[in-house]
Amino acid sequence: MKGRAVKLREAHKSGSPAFCSVVWCPGGNYIVTASAADTAVLIHDAAAVSGGGSGRGSSSAPVATVRLHKDGVTAVAVAPGSGGSLASGSIDHSVKFYSFPEGEFQSNVARFTLPIRSLAFNKKGTLVAAAGDDDGIKLIATIDNTISKVLKGHKGSVTGLSFDPKNDYLASVDSFGTVIYWDLCIGGEARTLTRVAPTFRSDNSVKNVLCWSPDGQTLAVPGLRNNVVLYDRDTGEEVSMLKGDHEQAVCSLCWSPNGRYLATAGLDRQVLIWDVKSRQDIERQKFDEKICSLAWKPDGNALLLADTMGRFGIWDSVIPPTMKSPTEGTPDLNSTMAPLFDDDDEEEEKPSTSGGLEDDLDESLGDSAPFSHKRLKRKSAFDDHSNVDSEDEDLMHQLESSKRMKDKHRDTKKDFGKVKGDSATSGRLVTTTMQAAFQPGSTPPQSGMRNFLAYNMLGSITTIQNEGHSHVEVDFHDTGRGPRVPSMTDYFGFTMAALNESGSVFANPCKGDKNMSTLMYRPFSSWAGNSEMHILSLSGPVVTAVGHGDQLAIISHASDCLPSGDQVLDVKVFNISKGAQSMSGRLTLTPCSQLSWFGFSENGQLSSYDSEGILRVFSSQFGGSWVPIFSSIKARKSEDESHWVVGLDANNIFCILCKSPHSYPQVMPKPVLTILELAFPLASSDLGANSLENEFMMRKLHLSQIQGKMEEMAALGLDTTAYDDEAFNMEAALDRCILRLISSCCNGDKLVRATELAKLLTLEKSMKGALTLVTRLKHPVLQEKFSSILEERMVNDTRTGATVGFSSNATIKTRANSSLAIAYSALLPKVLQTGNSVQESTLPKQNPVNNNISLNVTKKQEAGQPKEVKDSTRKVSPSLTPLNKIPKNSETKRDRNGASNATAVHQSQQGSAAQIDIKSKGSEDSNQAEPQRPVNPFAKLSSSKEQSLSLLDSIKKMKLENEKVDKANTKKVKV
């Protein structure tokens, strides 16, 4: 039965049919209209429109008029929530933002190359989707107006967009009638329904549309048979169809706030109101022109309409009063933890969230004729029984849908990262809430079972709930540590705890304004330590906090989540004993992940582990950075495995292996710790030596950590001697690893990489070993390169006055004078072999460290050296020793200042030995020699008259001189 006729008023003048848009503001106080034939966007007072005059002569004027587009406006949308923005899209290829309801221009959001056809905000207003004749749907983050993702897949103009109320999907439809579900978790297609909607060809006054139900369970799409088809949220399968008296295709539709009713408009100029459960139309209106846009009032029983000639109006009291209100039982999806379906013990009148199902209709609703509100009757006992059965069917449908959803997400998680798109930023686009606070090492409570309040490298604290209290036990992994800690009866309801060598601490949440939180410290010894408390205010909600010695690290939220779903977390480290803040910065997480564990390693290194299975440690390198040192995905043996982190030391991570569906350990049976080696998540090594590459990076990281500690202690004026041996051993281990890598480079013809690695060697002995290695492997090019590196370092050491050319600065500073003299004396003599003759060559050198320290080496001192030092000073590879020219007579050269530097060579006829005497000006003791600089066998000639020669030229010259000596010896033998 036809109700009171709805009269429309003119808003936009149009000489020919053109598409018009109408939307409500979230509170229903204002209405926004736009037309493709007009450049203006009008904001109206809803009360004036509903209660004012009607027809062309209406005197009510819009509240605001915005004329910033250069061509007709084809789409408008209002962001949800108070103070939201108004967005408009136009044929001029632009999308603009305005304040609402003032209508003041805010910014140009995006530009397209072709006209815009559709706009839509997500449920939270953090994302707006814009599409049209261009290739692709642009997802724009409203926080900074940047394009977060471009979704491509449609072959025609995208004319309709609708965000799933749960922020999981975006549905779109194009001019060819193809519908695509876009999964916002992966930023790609979830499923495609090809040519399921009508096509309007060149008629731009109407367009294909679609709309999600308020609970997000079904998607309403115009059908090909002048009907409306409802598709399942998870599977995309057809679940219902609304077929009535539409004589032509449906061109617009919208849901009531509670999802019980659906309004549709067709090319036949009719508007029908459907009861979704009974699949019958219960009200209808016919208009003079095609209705191209519908919008249901968010909190009322009113429908907003607009026709193709720029007129609009409000249909009040759409649903008859004898039926349930369209706002009764509106789904509340503000909470991300909202249940999928209502509890069984709720009121009978409370509606289900399964698509607005009516339970007040008579059994006789089988007639296909138009339905009048006069035919409605009160439900009978039989109706109650049938409705209960129907609701049970709906509940089963929801359970099956939920199961399909879980299976779908399990499949899409496998394909994560394979989806490609033209995105300005990568990652998921789900707008999640801020991560809730948690305690590292704790597990969720389970009814009738024990759960962990704390679990770390020392032990665990478990609890089990009883009637009115809980039973708490403390256990240590090392049972021989001491007497067992007695159990405790908990009447406070503690939900978190921490454990260390001194004692345990417990806390419970605040319950109401008057019932404050309780914090209790329970020492293991009879005398408690420092019990002082400090109170701090942080800039954001706390996520977690951990301690190590005097260090306290706190993680807090820096801001709301980004549009991509990333958490924004800050980390601060405080030194409690000194009352100082030692670190402040941003915590690095894998995109779209959450923090799963946070703590200190056994050696005090700050560490974090996220939900994507990446373990990071904080390093002082590069001004402070987070370094990934473990990947759970690479370490697990099957896809159903996960690692629950307990702690870590310098080389290993200690975790508990959990298998799906459990992501955390159970108290019983007692969990077993799994020890895994830390490894950088490297893709592959071009040398085929992944373990060596990982060892190299790990040792380099450890060395930087040790040096950082030494620098901090030196800055505070503390003694760093305790770290000297550790630093030296780490340098030696790093050099051994580099030598093995150099060997791999030589075998793989990676000569450039080998040269770069040689520059990283720290100790002189290691550099000599590298030189020996490349010589044995017959790489003359590397031999020349390494010799140049060795020579350059010796020259630099001479200039800077370093005591030992290739040891760390920290090691040099802490050597005792005697050890310094011995280490330096080991570098004095170099044996140079020429045939059967042996020559010792030394060069004068100034005292490199302290003028008060004498480094004169006598024969007694040399005799007192350790055997290893003496051997290292005497052993020189003959293949690496160049032949020096042996002068026939003693020669003396004087410099400009008159100083003499004479070298006398006395060679016996057998050529078995050579002696070198060095005299310097002003020398008082002829029995002592001045400290001598180690001679590099590949050093360039230092003659002032000769230019420096390359290594290759030097070798050639040495060979010629050697040949001359051999010839001279041959002549002497003949004589």
Side-chain angles (χ1 to χ4, degrees):
M1 180 176 179
K2 185 176 180 180
R4 183 175 61 88
V6 179
K7 295 184 179 180
L8 307 181
R9 64 177 66 199
E10 185 180 84
H12 305 272
K13 294 183 179 180
S14 177
S16 60
F19 181 78
C20 294
S21 305
V22 288
V23 292
W24 291 91
C25 75
N29 299 324
Y30 297 96
I31 296 170
V32 181
T33 63
S35 172
D38 190 2
T39 60
V41 177
L42 305 182
I43 301 176
H44 308 267
D45 186 345
V49 174
S50 179
S54 61
R56 297 181 181 270
S58 174
S59 59
S60 59
V63 175
T65 301
V66 182
R67 295 183 182 274
L68 293 178
H69 284 290
K70 299 179 181 179
D71 210 330
V73 180
T74 53
V76 289
V78 179
S82 58
S85 298
L86 168 65
S88 65
S90 170
I91 301 176
D92 64 5
H93 314 165
S94 67
V95 177
K96 301 179 184 293
F97 272 0
Y98 316 90
S99 63
F100 190 81
E102 297 82 6
E104 297 180 357
F105 175 75
Q106 291 181 339
S107 63
N108 287 308
V109 182
R111 290 197 64 84
F112 288 68
T113 58
L114 293 173
I116 312 296
R117 299 296 178 188
S118 182
L119 293 173
F121 280 96
N122 67 344
K123 185 70 174 178
K124 296 183 179 180
T126 57
L127 209 63
V128 62
D133 297 345
D134 264 16
D135 180 21
I137 304 170
K138 293 183 179 180
L139 300 183
I140 304 166
T142 57
I143 189 173
D144 54 4
N145 296 343
T146 58
I147 298 176
S148 298
K149 192 79 174 177
V150 179
L151 306 176
K152 292 187 177 183
H154 283 288
K155 297 181 180 179
S157 301
V158 179
T159 58
L161 296 169
S162 181
F163 275 99
D164 160 34
K166 297 181 180 180
N167 284 330
D168 291 331
Y169 297 111
L170 169 68
S172 60
V173 61
D174 60 26
S175 56
F176 294 120
T178 297
V179 175
I180 297 181
Y181 284 45
W182 302 95
D183 191 331
L184 298 180
C185 296
I186 61 175
E189 293 184 31
R191 60 190 56 86
T192 301
L193 309 178
T194 305
R195 299 186 183 275
V196 296
T199 58
F200 299 111
R201 295 183 175 86
S202 60
D203 187 0
N204 290 329
S205 64
V206 291
K207 63 181 184 180
N208 270 330
V209 294
L210 40 65
C211 188
W212 286 99
S213 61
D215 63 358
Q217 293 297 326
T218 54
L219 179 69
V221 181
L224 297 175
R225 300 179 179 179
N226 307 333
N227 58 352
V228 176
V229 182
L230 305 181
Y231 294 94
D232 182 76
R233 162 196 178 84
D234 303 318
T235 64
E237 299 174 355
E238 179 180 333
V239 296
S240 183
M241 181 179 65
L242 304 179
K243 174 67 175 177
D245 285 352
H246 273 303
E247 299 173 356
Q248 298 184 46
V250 174
C251 59
S252 184
L253 51 81
C254 66
W255 291 87
S256 65
N258 61 1
R260 293 176 179 269
Y261 309 104
L262 184 71
T264 61
L267 297 181
D268 57 0
R269 297 177 295 171
Q270 287 191 100
V271 174
L272 273 60
I273 309 299
W274 299 82
D275 178 85
V276 178
K277 181 180 178 180
S278 66
R279 293 180 289 183
Q280 295 290 327
D281 56 300
I282 56 176
E283 286 288 352
R284 68 179 61 190
Q285 287 274 353
K286 191 161 186 177
F287 297 87
D288 297 334
E289 300 291 341
K290 290 178 291 186
I291 300 298
C292 57
S293 184
L294 296 173
W296 209 299
K297 190 173 182 179
D299 56 354
N301 186 14
L303 185 67
L304 182 61
L305 315 93
D307 65 14
T308 56
M309 299 305 294
R311 294 181 297 177
F312 77 106
I314 298 177
W315 182 353
D316 290 314
S317 302
V318 183
I319 304 302
T322 54
M323 300 182 67
K324 281 194 174 181
S325 169
T327 60
E328 183 179 351
T330 302
D332 183 12
L333 298 178
N334 292 330
S335 174
T336 58
M337 302 301 292
L340 183 64
F341 48 85
D342 295 333
D343 294 335
D344 294 334
D345 57 350
E346 292 183 355
E347 290 185 17
E348 185 183 22
E349 291 293 324
K350 187 171 182 177
S352 171
T353 59
S354 59
L357 305 179
E358 176 64 79
D359 56 2
D360 287 340
L361 296 178
D362 188 80
E363 186 186 34
S364 61
L365 297 179
D367 191 4
S368 61
F371 200 81
S372 172
H373 64 275
K374 292 183 179 180
R375 298 172 58 186
L376 297 176
K377 300 179 180 179
R378 290 191 171 274
K379 61 182 179 179
S380 61
F382 177 80
D383 293 332
D384 290 339
H385 183 268
S386 62
N387 286 332
V388 169
D389 293 340
S390 178
E391 289 180 358
D392 291 340
E393 293 176 0
D394 294 334
L395 182 61
M396 292 300 297
H397 170 72
Q398 287 178 346
L399 292 174
E400 294 174 0
S401 176
S402 176
K403 183 178 182 300
R404 289 193 299 265
M405 186 68 175
K406 292 179 181 178
D407 295 338
K408 187 271 302 180
H409 275 295
R410 187 180 298 110
D411 295 337
T412 55
K413 187 174 181 180
K414 297 178 183 178
D415 298 333
F416 182 75
K418 299 181 181 179
V419 180
K420 298 182 179 179
D422 298 337
S423 172
T425 58
S426 62
R428 289 189 256 186
L429 298 169
V430 117
T431 52
T432 57
T433 58
M434 293 192 298
Q435 180 178 355
F438 74 98
Q439 179 70 18
S442 64
T443 59
Q446 304 176 70
S447 178
M449 299 178 63
R450 282 191 171 274
N451 68 282
F452 288 109
L453 293 180
Y455 193 106
N456 57 23
M457 298 292 290
L458 181 65
S460 64
I461 301 177
T462 61
T463 183
I464 185 171
Q465 295 181 356
N466 295 320
E467 295 182 359
H469 67 278
S470 298
H471 186 74
V472 178
E473 290 185 356
V474 179
D475 295 304
F476 296 101
H477 300 317
D478 183 6
T479 56
R481 180 181 179 275
R484 180 180 177 86
V485 178
S487 60
M488 177 182 70
T489 302
D490 170 25
Y491 294 97
F492 297 95
F494 293 129
T495 58
M496 61 184 69
L499 175 70
N500 68 0
E501 294 82 357
S502 302
S504 56
V505 62
F506 301 86
N508 64 358
C510 177
K511 299 179 180 180
D513 296 335
K514 296 182 179 180
N515 191 358
M516 306 300 291
S517 298
T518 301
L519 183 67
M520 185 182 75
Y521 175 61
R522 192 184 185 197
F524 295 145
S525 59
S526 57
W527 290 92
N530 187 0
S531 59
E532 294 182 2
M533 294 186 62
H534 303 273
I535 300 177
L536 300 175
S537 293
L538 300 175
S539 57
V542 175
V543 178
T544 190
V546 294
H548 179 81
D550 291 336
Q551 302 291 319
L552 173 65
I554 301 176
I555 300 293
S556 61
H557 286 283
S559 68
D560 291 336
C561 295
L562 298 179
S564 59
D566 295 341
Q567 302 286 330
V568 185
L569 303 180
D570 276 345
V571 55
K572 296 181 184 294
V573 180
F574 301 93
N575 190 307
I576 302 301
S577 61
K578 298 179 180 178
Q581 179 175 311
S582 56
M583 174 196 164
S584 177
R586 188 63 53 83
L587 180 66
T588 302
L589 294 175
T590 305
C592 299
S593 67
Q594 291 189 343
L595 184 64
S596 299
W597 179 86
F598 189 71
F600 288 89
S601 66
E602 291 296 300
N603 57 352
Q605 200 71 20
L606 199 60
S607 312
S608 70
Y609 183 79
D610 60 35
S611 57
E612 291 295 326
I614 301 298
L615 176 69
R616 295 176 176 88
V617 297
F618 184 79
S619 172
S620 59
Q621 293 178 321
F622 307 107
S625 58
W626 290 91
V627 183
I629 59 172
F630 177 80
S631 173
S632 175
I633 297 177
K634 290 183 176 293
R636 66 188 184 186
K637 297 180 181 179
S638 61
E639 294 185 356
D640 62 344
E641 287 185 357
S642 61
H643 299 93
W644 195 77
V645 177
V646 177
L648 68 152
D649 59 14
N651 301 308
N652 303 293
I653 177 175
F654 301 88
C655 58
I656 297 174
L657 189 64
C658 301
K659 292 195 174 183
S660 181
H662 300 292
S663 59
Y664 52 85
Q666 306 294 319
V667 177
M668 295 300 295
K670 189 175 182 179
V672 179
L673 278 180
T674 300
I675 304 176
L676 300 174
E677 185 178 358
L678 296 177
F680 287 90
L682 304 176
S684 62
S685 171
D686 58 349
L687 302 175
N690 291 345
S691 60
L692 281 179
E693 296 276 11
N694 180 77
E695 181 185 354
F696 167 68
M697 297 178 66
M698 194 66 67
R699 298 215 183 261
K700 194 173 181 181
L701 176 63
H702 293 164
L703 180 59
S704 68
Q705 294 171 356
I706 296 172
Q707 292 174 344
K709 292 180 181 178
M710 297 177 68
E711 292 175 359
E712 293 177 0
M713 295 179 65
L716 298 174
L718 303 176
D719 185 16
T720 61
T721 307
Y723 290 98
D724 288 341
D725 291 339
E726 186 178 359
F728 182 80
N729 293 336
M730 187 58 64
E731 288 175 347
L734 180 61
D735 279 5
R736 288 194 296 269
C737 180
I738 293 176
L739 288 174
R740 294 198 297 271
L741 282 173
I742 291 176
S743 177
S744 299
C745 290
C746 294
N747 295 331
D749 291 332
K750 306 289 184 181
L751 304 186
V752 176
R753 176 80 191 281
T755 305
E756 296 298 325
L757 287 169
K759 295 178 181 179
L760 300 178
L761 290 171
T762 307
L763 305 176
E764 179 192 10
K765 186 177 180 180
S766 302
M767 192 67 217
K768 291 179 180 179
L771 195 56
T772 304
L773 175 65
V774 296
T775 303
R776 291 178 179 175
L777 294 176
K778 298 180 181 180
H779 284 283
V781 176
L782 286 183
Q783 181 179 346
E784 181 179 357
K785 293 284 187 182
F786 287 13
S787 298
S788 301
I789 296 172
L790 180 63
E791 177 186 353
E792 182 180 354
R793 288 197 177 184
M794 284 187 167
V795 172
N796 292 337
D797 292 338
T798 303
R799 293 175 180 174
T800 57
T803 304
V804 181
F806 299 96
S807 60
S808 65
N809 294 334
T811 306
I812 295 172
K813 295 178 181 178
T814 57
R815 297 294 186 212
N817 294 345
S818 59
S819 299
L820 189 63
I822 293 174
Y824 190 79
S825 65
L827 303 177
L828 287 178
K830 295 294 177 182
V831 179
L832 305 178
Q833 297 181 358
T834 57
N836 296 327
S837 62
V838 178
Q839 173 186 340
E840 289 188 2
S841 174
T842 56
L843 295 177
K845 179 182 178 184
Q846 296 179 354
N847 193 334
V849 177
N850 194 332
N851 293 331
N852 297 326
I853 301 176
S854 175
L855 298 180
N856 298 329
V857 180
T858 64
K859 294 182 179 180
K860 294 182 179 181
Q861 290 174 328
E862 183 176 357
Q865 293 179 8
K867 183 178 180 181
E868 295 179 357
V869 176
K870 294 170 65 178
D871 293 341
S872 65
T873 61
R874 297 300 179 187
K875 293 181 181 179
V876 179
S877 175
S879 61
L880 299 179
T881 305
L883 300 175
N884 289 354
K885 181 178 179 181
I886 302 177
K888 297 180 180 179
N889 300 320
S890 299
E891 297 179 0
T892 301
K893 297 182 180 180
R894 296 181 180 273
D895 56 16
R896 295 180 181 178
N897 297 327
S900 65
N901 185 3
T903 304
V905 179
H906 305 281
Q907 183 176 0
S908 64
Q909 293 180 356
Q910 291 80 9
S912 61
Q915 296 180 352
I916 301 175
D917 295 331
I918 300 177
K919 298 181 181 180
S920 59
K921 184 179 180 180
S923 175
E924 297 180 358
D925 190 356
S926 61
N927 295 328
Q928 293 184 351
E930 291 186 2
Q932 305 300 315
R933 178 176 65 87
V935 176
N936 180 8
F938 292 93
K940 298 179 182 179
L941 298 177
S942 59
S943 174
S944 60
K945 295 181 179 180
E946 299 180 3
Q947 295 181 354
S948 60
L949 301 177
S950 66
L951 180 63
L952 187 59
D953 294 337
S954 300
I955 294 174
K956 290 180 180 179
K957 187 175 181 180
M958 294 173 190
K959 289 182 179 180
L960 293 175
E961 293 172 351
N962 191 20
E963 291 175 358
K964 292 180 181 180
V965 173
D966 292 340
K967 289 180 180 180
N969 294 335
T970 303
K971 291 179 180 180
K972 292 179 180 180
V973 171
K974 291 181 179 179
V975 175

